[in-house]
Amino acid sequence: MLRDHFFLPDDPAIEFRAFTHGLMPKTVPAMMEGFVEDWKTRGVDAWNEVPNRWQPGDERAVGWWTLPEYLGDQFIAPLLGAPAGSCIMQPHVHWTVQCLLSCPEPFAHGHEVVVTEKEFPSVLHSVQQWQGLKDIEARIVPPASGGFVDREAVLNAIGPDTALVILSHVGFTSGEKLDHDFLRTVAERAHAHDALFAIDGYHAASTMPVNVTETNCDVYFGGLLKEACGSSGNAYLYVRPGLTLTPRLAGWFADADPFGFNVAPEPHPDVRRRFLGGTTAVASLYHAVEGVRLLLDLGLDEVRTHSLALTERAIERAEAAGLTLRSPHEADRRGAMVILKAERADLLCAWLKDRHVYTDSRQQRYLRLAPFVWNSKDEVDRAFDIIAEALKSRVYFQHEAPVEAGPVT
Ligand SMILES: Cc1ncc(COP(=O)(O)O)c(C=O)c1O
């Protein structure tokens, strides 16, 4: 589909790791050369103005200073179905969550932060690390059977003591997508208790249409490293228009009068900008949205349709080969990833890699694959021909145990 727009690790490669790390869009090298050029030829003036390499036809002046909100308006807002003025780039989700927890506003009425046990550590650990520093208590909801979200338990955990609810739109260990009606119900329940609802959309936005306004959440955050193909240093934040938040972690880039170097801090009038810290790392903003651009040009409905068709085919073929599915079966509960139980999945993954089929594995038991916009049904079939053969012959058990090259998320 969009195969020709991305670099592949080798050719021919069947690359199924969109859920782990996206491929590089072919426009990225030119964008990075643009960064070098802007720095080389403009020096400090680049903070005020650089050529608009992101939207060449757009008259709006861009400079490194305003790039986080410019990219928020031009690329993140359409990705999230958000209005202009509500989104901004962030360095990573961890920072965004820290900022959110440092705001006094959510804690004016309650002190509990409701999360599930399956949130990513940038959320789950952060909430617990703030306990004791501030009057914050983590209310951690265990999963239901199969590792999926216990919806009833989440709703029951929200009450008069709730300050904030944070849930993953798509679970990173389960591939489970929370549906629109459930998210709206959570928002309603949270708002009934004057609590805020924040969604970690890392694996949802960019794989399907998202509409933060209809979902009625207060905050939505995520990153562009994976399905959005933007590499590291490129996370984002949406704050519901009209919501006041004043992160105590706000840095001088978030100040209303940064070059006044005043004695006392003054929160920026634009709430989203209050989530900035010290000097913005601008190099990563040059490669941030090249993947998003491709996905938006194709259309998020089309992205989702294609992703669902490929995951459906993968599930059919996996089940026919005798593998058990660990991620949800139903289309409306599926994200972009398929998780399969496989004996010595680590060896199978390494064996497949030798054959240029790229998947990843977890805990030696789970094989994960996320066929995405650069893949075709034919590739899914070819990959599963190889997988079926490996399972039948058990030949992959003879593969050398893979060297731990470092963790991948
Ligand atoms: C659901 C989810 N949230 C957040 C992150 C990453 O967080 P950070 O940007 O802090 O590294 C990941 C990475 O895998 C994730 O899967």
Side-chain angles (χ1 to χ4, degrees), residues 65 68-69 88-91 95 99 249-254 272-278 280:
W65 186 262
E69 55 262 42
I88 192 158
M89 300 301 291
Q90 296 276 274
W95 166 260
C99 279
L249 287 187
W252 74 280
F253 263 50
R272 61 183 167 163
R273 184 126 189 140
R274 297 178 188 170
F275 284 75
L276 294 184
T280 303

Coordinates of all heavy atoms in Angstrom, one line a residue, residues 65 68-69 88-91 95 99 249-254 272-278 280:
W65 N 11.0 28.1 18.0 CA 10.3 28.5 19.2 C 8.9 28.0 19.1 O 8.3 27.5 20.1 CB 10.4 30.0 19.4 CG 9.8 30.4 20.7 CD1 8.5 30.9 20.9 CD2 10.4 30.4 21.9 NE1 8.3 31.1 22.2 CE2 9.5 30.8 22.9 CE3 11.7 30.0 22.4 CZ2 9.8 30.9 24.3 CZ3 12.0 30.1 23.7 CH2 11.1 30.5 24.6
P68 N 6.7 23.4 18.2 CA 5.9 22.4 19.0 C 4.4 22.7 18.8 O 3.6 21.7 18.6 CB 6.3 22.6 20.4 CG 7.6 23.2 20.4 CD 7.7 24.1 19.1
E69 N 3.9 23.9 18.8 CA 2.5 24.1 18.7 C 2.1 24.1 17.2 O 0.9 23.8 16.8 CB 1.9 25.3 19.4 CG 2.6 26.6 19.2 CD 3.6 27.0 20.2 OE1 4.4 26.1 20.6 OE2 3.7 28.2 20.6
I88 N 0.1 20.0 21.2 CA 1.5 20.4 21.2 C 2.4 19.2 21.2 O 2.0 18.2 21.8 CB 1.7 21.4 22.4 CG1 3.1 22.1 22.3 CG2 1.6 20.7 23.7 CD1 3.2 23.4 23.0
M89 N 3.6 19.4 20.7 CA 4.6 18.3 20.7 C 5.2 18.2 22.1 O 5.4 19.3 22.8 CB 5.7 18.5 19.6 CG 5.2 18.6 18.2 SD 4.3 17.1 17.7 CE 5.7 15.9 17.7
Q90 N 5.6 17.0 22.5 CA 6.2 16.8 23.8 C 7.4 15.9 23.5 O 7.5 15.1 22.5 CB 5.2 16.0 24.7 CG 4.0 16.8 25.0 CD 4.2 17.8 26.2 OE1 4.1 17.4 27.3 NE2 4.6 19.0 25.9
P91 N 8.4 15.8 24.5 CA 9.5 15.0 24.2 C 9.2 13.5 24.4 O 9.8 12.7 23.6 CB 10.5 15.4 25.3 CG 9.7 16.1 26.4 CD 8.5 16.7 25.7
W95 N 7.3 12.6 30.3 CA 7.3 14.0 30.7 C 5.9 14.5 30.8 O 5.5 15.2 31.7 CB 8.1 14.8 29.6 CG 7.9 16.3 29.7 CD1 7.0 17.0 29.0 CD2 8.4 17.1 30.7 NE1 7.1 18.3 29.4 CE2 7.9 18.4 30.5 CE3 9.3 17.0 31.8 CZ2 8.2 19.5 31.3 CZ3 9.6 18.1 32.6 CH2 9.1 19.3 32.3
C99 N 4.1 16.1 34.1 CA 3.5 17.4 34.1 C 2.0 17.4 34.6 O 1.6 18.2 35.4 CB 3.5 18.0 32.7 SG 5.1 18.7 32.3
L249 N 5.7 21.5 36.9 CA 7.0 21.2 36.2 C 7.2 22.1 35.1 O 8.3 22.0 34.4 CB 7.0 19.8 35.8 CG 7.1 18.7 36.8 CD1 7.2 17.3 36.1 CD2 8.2 18.9 37.7
A250 N 6.3 23.0 34.7 CA 6.5 23.9 33.6 C 7.9 24.6 33.6 O 8.3 25.1 34.7 CB 5.4 25.0 33.6
G251 N 8.6 24.6 32.5 CA 9.9 25.2 32.5 C 9.9 26.6 31.9 O 8.8 27.1 31.6
W252 N 11.0 27.1 31.7 CA 11.0 28.5 31.2 C 10.5 28.7 29.8 O 10.0 29.8 29.4 CB 12.4 29.2 31.4 CG 13.5 28.8 30.5 CD1 14.2 27.6 30.5 CD2 14.0 29.5 29.3 NE1 15.1 27.6 29.5 CE2 15.0 28.7 28.7 CE3 13.7 30.7 28.8 CZ2 15.7 29.2 27.6 CZ3 14.4 31.2 27.6 CH2 15.4 30.4 27.1
F253 N 10.5 27.6 29.0 CA 9.9 27.7 27.7 C 8.4 27.7 27.8 O 7.7 28.0 26.8 CB 10.3 26.5 26.8 CG 11.5 26.7 25.9 CD1 12.6 27.3 26.4 CD2 11.4 26.4 24.5 CE1 13.7 27.6 25.5 CE2 12.4 26.7 23.7 CZ 13.6 27.3 24.2
A254 N 7.9 27.5 29.0 CA 6.4 27.5 29.2 C 6.0 28.8 29.8 O 4.8 28.9 30.2 CB 6.0 26.3 30.1
R272 N -1.7 24.6 26.5 CA -0.9 23.6 26.0 C 0.6 23.9 26.1 O 1.5 23.0 26.4 CB -1.2 23.3 24.6 CG -1.0 24.4 23.6 CD -1.4 24.1 22.2 NE -1.5 25.4 21.5 CZ -1.5 25.5 20.1 NH1 -1.5 24.4 19.4 NH2 -1.6 26.6 19.5
R273 N 1.0 25.1 26.0 CA 2.4 25.5 26.0 C 3.0 25.4 27.5 O 4.2 25.3 27.6 CB 2.5 27.0 25.5 CG 3.9 27.5 25.4 CD 4.3 28.0 24.1 NE 5.8 28.2 24.2 CZ 6.7 28.0 23.3 NH1 6.3 27.5 22.1 NH2 8.0 28.1 23.5
R274 N 2.1 25.3 28.4 CA 2.6 25.2 29.8 C 3.2 23.8 30.1 O 3.8 23.5 31.1 CB 1.4 25.3 30.8 CG 0.8 26.7 30.8 CD -0.4 26.8 31.7 NE -1.0 28.1 31.5 CZ -2.2 28.4 32.1 NH1 -2.8 27.5 32.9 NH2 -2.7 29.6 31.9
F275 N 3.0 22.9 29.1 CA 3.6 21.5 29.2 C 5.0 21.5 28.6 O 5.6 20.4 28.4 CB 2.7 20.5 28.6 CG 1.5 20.2 29.4 CD1 0.4 21.1 29.5 CD2 1.4 19.0 30.2 CE1 -0.7 20.8 30.3 CE2 0.3 18.7 31.0 CZ -0.7 19.6 31.1
L276 N 5.6 22.6 28.3 CA 7.0 22.6 27.8 C 7.9 22.8 29.0 O 7.5 23.3 30.1 CB 7.2 23.8 26.8 CG 6.5 23.6 25.5 CD1 6.9 24.8 24.5 CD2 6.7 22.3 24.8
G277 N 9.1 22.3 28.9 CA 10.1 22.4 30.0 C 11.2 23.4 29.7 O 10.9 24.6 29.5
G278 N 12.4 22.9 29.6 CA 13.5 23.7 29.2 C 13.6 23.8 27.7 O 12.6 23.5 27.0
T280 N 13.6 23.4 24.0 CA 13.0 22.3 23.2 C 14.1 21.6 22.3 O 14.9 22.3 21.7 CB 11.9 22.8 22.2 OG1 10.9 23.5 23.0 CG2 11.3 21.8 21.4

